[in-house]
Amino acid sequence: MNESLYIAATGMNTQQKSVETIANNLANVNTPAFKKGKVSFEDMVYAAREGNVAGTLQGPAWHGGGVGVFSLIKDFAPAELKKTDQPMDLAVRGEGFIEVMDGDGITAFSRGGALTVDKDGMLATADGHVLKANIHVGLDAKEIQIAADGRVLVRNGDRTELAEAGRIELVRFADMSGLTALGSGLYRPTERSGDAIYGRAGEEGMGTFAQGYSEGSNVQLIDEMVNLMAAQRAYESNVKVIQAADEMLAMSNNLRK
Amino acid sequence: MAIAASGMQNDLARLELISQNVANAATAGYKRQIPVNQAFAGQVDQLLAQPQVTSLQPRSSVIDPMAAPVRASGGSYDLAIEGDGFLEIATPEGVRYTRHGALHLDSSGRLLGAQDMPVMGLSGEMRLANAAFEISPTGEIKQEGRLVGMLKLVHFDKPEQLQPAGNGLYSAGADASAEVVSSAKFRVGYLEQSNVNLPREMVSMTETVRHFEAMQRIFQGRDESLEKAIRKLGEF
């Protein structure tokens, strides 16, 4: 049977995946701290067919198996920081993640966002994940200041001066693109990303904290639209190949009228 | 009739190569495959020399080693090779070559290529500390300013005869000579795209379909004339 049909079908499948990734990126163009997905392809196995006939030919013909999705990774290019003037908005300027508890004692990593104080007086993300740094600010905190180096200063109750409640550390990875996204802005390390490397904000290539800022999405509308068009046209080309293969099969059925 | 049939077989194989190229129009580091047809005179000689070969099957393919455009990827471990040359990848099946330069580290600090297999430096596999690294345009791998390795780039005299092995990898035949390029140049932060040109593939696809159609007509015409001949002979 004609392989072309199946090869072109793999082409359509992968372009479909590409469009799905673009759709997800476009849908999150306004999601704070969203990191865009990137899909990459690989050409699939080859088989040599119709080898040399008595040493007269240059070489065998290499028949490929089409194309497959090789990896779907996140692009952690930093996005613009937007000033919100909300004291509970925390963003990381530059490289680095904040470690948070993700239930069951497992930690996950976040690029920041809106913080809250949970029912025990602990500093947590808006989704209720307590920061790994275990910073107790108390339920009567009137003012919270987070310095660029991660020190958290709190003014409780009727006090007039700020007291240090703890320090948030930053974390980075040898290969950020290997992190798996858990959704709602949380990531977990994988074999590929390597283990978390802890450090202080502002030191050894780590970013710094920016209180009162929120990180935008790093999706570039124009890039996505261009990629969408390219994927759509590539999909169309594969459709044309299928049509051509079909036409040729129909013709061979018509060999005997 | 046999000639028309083998021509049609040939067209089917050609369409297969085209479909492989079109499917990989967006695969980074993919090299277009070109069908190679033997000259007709050669085929005739071959048939004369070997009468038992009943069909013409001069199908073979080579890759088009032409460099593809590079595109900024933003990744600091992505590199595109400037000029010709291939990176060397150590796979369980032996040494393979690639133009796809998305590098990364595994958890033990080995420098891996895009295929999750070790990329070779001038002195074998490269082991780094499990931390961020930098790639210089000449292929030096640096970690915290310290030189930890040098990427190996090899050059082939006849890169078109490399055999595709899937996943952007190519294997060299036994008689291919790989020489190490002394002055390698890389563009960091870029990835080489596929060198498939969709309009060109569409043109050769149309050509192939029409050639197939012509062969089909020849076949039908021959069939009809045979039919006529048999009918005429039957009238006697």
Side-chain angles (χ1 to χ4, degrees), chain A residues 43 59 62-63 66 70 251 254, chain B residues 16 20 60 114 167-168 216 220:
Chain A
D43 47 337
W62 294 95
H63 289 254
F70 176 60
M251 276 189 245
N254 273 328
Chain B
E16 236 175 80
Q20 176 75 358
S60 78
N167 208 346
Q216 186 225 23
Q220 283 176 345

Side-chain angles (χ1 to χ4, degrees), chain A residues 66-212:
Chain A
V67 61
V69 172
F70 176 60
S71 68
L72 183 59
I73 56 173
K74 286 274 179 187
D75 182 349
F76 281 93
E80 262 174 48
L81 297 189
K82 269 182 291 193
K83 197 170 170 60
T84 59
D85 284 330
Q86 294 294 318
M88 293 306 272
D89 279 345
L90 184 65
V92 180
R93 185 175 275 136
E95 203 178 310
F97 293 85
I98 302 167
E99 193 173 12
V100 299
M101 302 302 294
D102 187 27
D104 312 328
I106 307 169
T107 58
F109 299 90
S110 153
R111 280 287 294 172
L115 299 180
T116 53
V117 177
D118 76 355
K119 59 183 189 323
D120 304 318
M122 308 294 285
L123 213 50
T125 66
D127 294 333
H129 300 290
V130 178
L131 264 57
K132 183 75 192 316
N134 266 331
I135 295 165
H136 184 86
V137 291
L139 293 171
D140 55 347
K142 291 280 182 293
E143 188 188 346
I144 297 177
Q145 275 187 14
I146 301 169
D149 63 357
R151 274 179 307 127
V152 181
L153 304 169
V154 191
R155 188 165 63 83
N156 291 88
D158 310 328
R159 304 245 189 93
T160 50
E161 72 275 18
L162 293 155
E164 189 169 330
R167 177 194 276 272
I168 310 173
E169 273 194 319
L170 276 183
V171 169
R172 61 184 174 141
F173 298 90
D175 184 4
M176 285 190 290
S177 60
L179 295 172
T180 30
L182 302 175
S184 58
L186 294 179
Y187 301 93
R188 196 166 277 166
T190 61
E191 175 127 348
R192 179 170 171 176
S193 70
D195 293 328
I197 304 163
Y198 293 86
R200 278 190 178 186
E203 288 172 19
E204 290 165 5
M206 293 284 193
T208 54
F209 287 100
Q211 189 183 15

Side-chain angles (χ1 to χ4, degrees), chain A residues 2 12-13 27 30 34 47 51 54 59 81 94 139 144 169 210 212 237 240 248 255:
Chain A
N2 195 349
M12 286 170 69
N13 273 329
N30 279 323
F34 178 79
L81 297 189
L139 293 171
I144 297 177
E169 273 194 319
S237 304
K240 291 280 180 230
M248 279 163 80
L255 278 177

